[in-house]
């Protein structure tokens, strides 16, 4: 393995910052807070929903989120947990998340992958995201 292939060691502060973004995703989803959720995205972000809808760019993500999130209906709660973070570069991380919707009918699970980028001001933002429904979880 060359040194270019060596894993990037992440400072604990960056890991904490990424976990904080995922916690903010959870918090804004629970609150159905579209505007709070949108502050977590890079302007050039792309998002693929669990049902395969592809949203290219912040405006597409914002339009979809503002139309869907405030009226989302679920009878229960949602939790998000970082299960793995792999730093591709010091300013780019691939983050696996376990997303669980808890309801009286039973839990359903998602397995998002968030590619996050660190901004010049130190903030980590969602940049390229794919949410995948886990069937038979």
């Amino acid at each position: 393995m060359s040194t270019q292939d060596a894993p990037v060691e992440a400072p604990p502060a960056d890991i904490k910052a990424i976990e904080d973004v995922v916690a903010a995703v959870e918090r804004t989803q629970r609150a159905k807070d579209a505007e709070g959720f949108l502050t977590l995205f890079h302007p050039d972000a792309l998002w693929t929903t669990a049902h395969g809808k592809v949203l290219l760019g912040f405006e597409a993500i914002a339009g979809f989120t503002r139309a869907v999130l405030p009226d989302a209906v679920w009878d229960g709660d949602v939790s998000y947990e970082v299960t793995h973070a792999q730093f591709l570069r010091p300013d780019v991380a691939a983050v696996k998340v376990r997303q669980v919707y808890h309801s009286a009918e039973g839990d359903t699970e998602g397995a998002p992958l968030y590619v996050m980028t660190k901004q010049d001001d130190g903030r980590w933002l969602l940049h390229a995201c794919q949410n995948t429904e886990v069937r038979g979880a």
Side-chain angles (χ1 to χ4, degrees):
M1 173 162 71
S2 74
T3 56
Q4 288 180 319
D5 297 329
V8 175
E9 292 297 322
D14 284 333
I15 294 169
K16 171 79 168 86
I18 287 169
E19 290 171 342
D20 288 348
V21 171
V22 173
V25 170
E26 176 181 306
R27 187 173 54 257
T28 57
Q29 291 288 308
R30 284 181 177 194
K32 300 180 183 179
D33 175 8
E35 298 311 311
F37 180 69
L38 292 170
T39 66
L40 306 172
F41 285 88
H42 187 277
D44 295 326
L46 62 95
W47 182 274
T48 303
T49 70
H51 302 289
K53 183 168 185 68
V54 177
L55 305 167
L56 302 175
F58 181 83
E59 291 307 317
I61 295 167
F64 177 82
T65 300
R66 289 176 178 137
V68 173
L69 185 58
D71 297 325
V73 178
W74 61 78
D75 201 16
D77 212 351
V78 62
S79 63
Y80 289 74
E81 173 191 6
V82 173
T83 59
H84 180 76
Q86 182 170 328
F87 286 77
L88 308 176
R89 299 187 332 207
D91 62 340
V92 179
V95 181
K96 281 304 296 175
V97 174
R98 182 171 186 250
Q99 169 195 58
V100 181
Y101 287 97
H102 308 278
S103 73
E105 294 81 37
D107 293 350
T108 57
E109 189 171 333
L113 172 64
Y114 300 157
V115 176
M116 299 176 66
T117 54
K118 186 176 184 179
Q119 307 310 294
D120 290 340
D121 64 4
R123 291 181 307 137
W124 283 89
L125 295 177
L126 302 169
H127 205 127
C129 306
Q130 167 79 45
N131 197 357
T132 303
E133 178 184 2
V134 176
R135 297 187 178 195

